[in-house]
Every structure is written in C-alpha cells, then in structure tokens.
Amino acid sequence: VSWFDAQAFAGWLNWKTGEDDAYRLPAEAEWEYAARAGTTTAYPWGAKLDHNYGNFGIPGPGLGGKAEGRDQWADQTAPVASFPANAFGLYDMHGNVWEWCWDWFGAYSSGSQTDPRGPASGSNRVFRGGSWEYHAFNCRTAFRSSNPATETFNRIGFRCVRAAGQ
C-alpha cells in the first residue's frame, strides 16, 4: 500500500467508528518507542537476529525470504501474531512488512525525544521495521528508510495508532 492508502484507511476508520481523528499513522519516534518496548538492544529480544521472533529475510547482503526457526514464510508475509509479542504486547514490529509512519524522511535525533514530530516537509515518507524480504540489518529497531508517498510495494504496510484518551 502507499502512504496515501494508509492515510485513507485511517480516515475511513475514524469515520466508521465515529471518532474524530482518533486513529492515525504513528510518528516515527512513536513507532520506535513502541518497537523497542523498553529495550536498548538492536532488537527487543536481544542483540542478534533470531528467526524465532520475526519473519525476516536472508542474513547478509541481498534479498529473499528465509525459513528458519518459527519463521516458515520464505517468500511472503506471515499471519499476524505468528511470533511472540514484544514487552508492550505488540506483534510483528520487526520483519513481515515495513510500516509507514506519518513523518517526512529527514534528520532523526539519536537522543531521547520530547516532541515526536519529524521534519515539516520533504520528498519521501518514512517506513520502519524491515520485511520478510530484507536482511537483518534492515530489521533492527533503529533502521529507517523512505519512499515517495505514492509508491506501493507488497512488502510495505502500516499500523494505526489511537490517540490517548480516545
């Protein structure tokens, strides 16, 4: 799906539930906070890629799925919740599909964030999390990438967040 498709879904979900702007794409800093789930390692389960925790591609350079451990989906997405949730109870934050974030791609502070908003403008939108086709480096919690908001790929999806108090 494109970033615009993800935005359209969030709008539809707000309309369907009758809640005004309760659902949206996460800011990039919000996504990383949720993915880390209180950890500081490369992945929320530790320092090394582990095919028991997500649907990842082959190790090292190159593209392609890899069936190993609990990861049995070599060239496609895995069903939601096929792997353990992180400490915040969130599934599939690493691997399976990249996830669009609200932000424009630009400079990103490595320190603690008090304002999760990214750059005010840009040419590409951020996506995070890696996918079934990408190797371990791209699935690390800190890794980020981007594409034009109009582009669609079978390895990019999204998740909506709900505003606190809604």
Side-chain angles (χ1 to χ4, degrees):
V1 297
S2 74
W3 182 88
F4 289 113
D5 294 335
Q7 286 292 96
F9 180 85
W12 172 85
L13 188 56
N14 284 310
W15 170 81
K16 182 74 173 168
T17 60
E19 300 189 46
D20 189 27
D21 296 328
Y23 297 95
R24 60 179 173 76
L25 293 179
E28 184 177 12
E30 291 173 316
W31 187 96
E32 185 168 333
Y33 180 83
R36 285 194 180 283
T39 66
T40 58
T41 53
Y43 308 96
W45 57 83
K48 295 182 181 178
L49 180 73
D50 187 333
H51 285 270
N52 286 305
Y53 291 97
N55 186 11
F56 306 110
I58 58 176
L63 301 176
K66 180 175 175 70
E68 177 181 304
R70 289 181 65 172
D71 185 359
Q72 299 300 310
W73 298 271
D75 292 314
Q76 62 187 346
T77 58
V80 173
S82 294
F83 302 94
N86 70 15
F88 288 171
L90 301 172
Y91 291 93
D92 306 319
M93 296 293 293
H94 297 78
N96 223 24
V97 295
W98 293 97
E99 296 181 8
W100 286 113
C101 295
W102 168 257
D103 301 75
W104 292 103
F105 189 78
Y108 187 73
S109 173
S110 62
S112 180
Q113 303 291 311
T114 57
D115 182 354
R117 293 175 294 184
S121 63
S123 58
N124 288 342
R125 293 288 185 167
V126 174
F127 52 86
R128 303 285 296 259
S131 85
W132 57 269
E133 187 182 35
Y134 282 78
H135 56 84
F137 182 80
N138 294 18
C139 296
R140 293 176 309 115
T141 305
F143 191 83
R144 50 200 300 263
S145 195
S146 70
N147 269 339
T150 56
E151 290 197 25
T152 61
F153 296 99
N154 68 348
R155 57 191 174 272
I156 300 178
F158 65 95
R159 76 176 63 221
C160 290
V161 297
R162 186 170 187 204
Q166 296 272 337

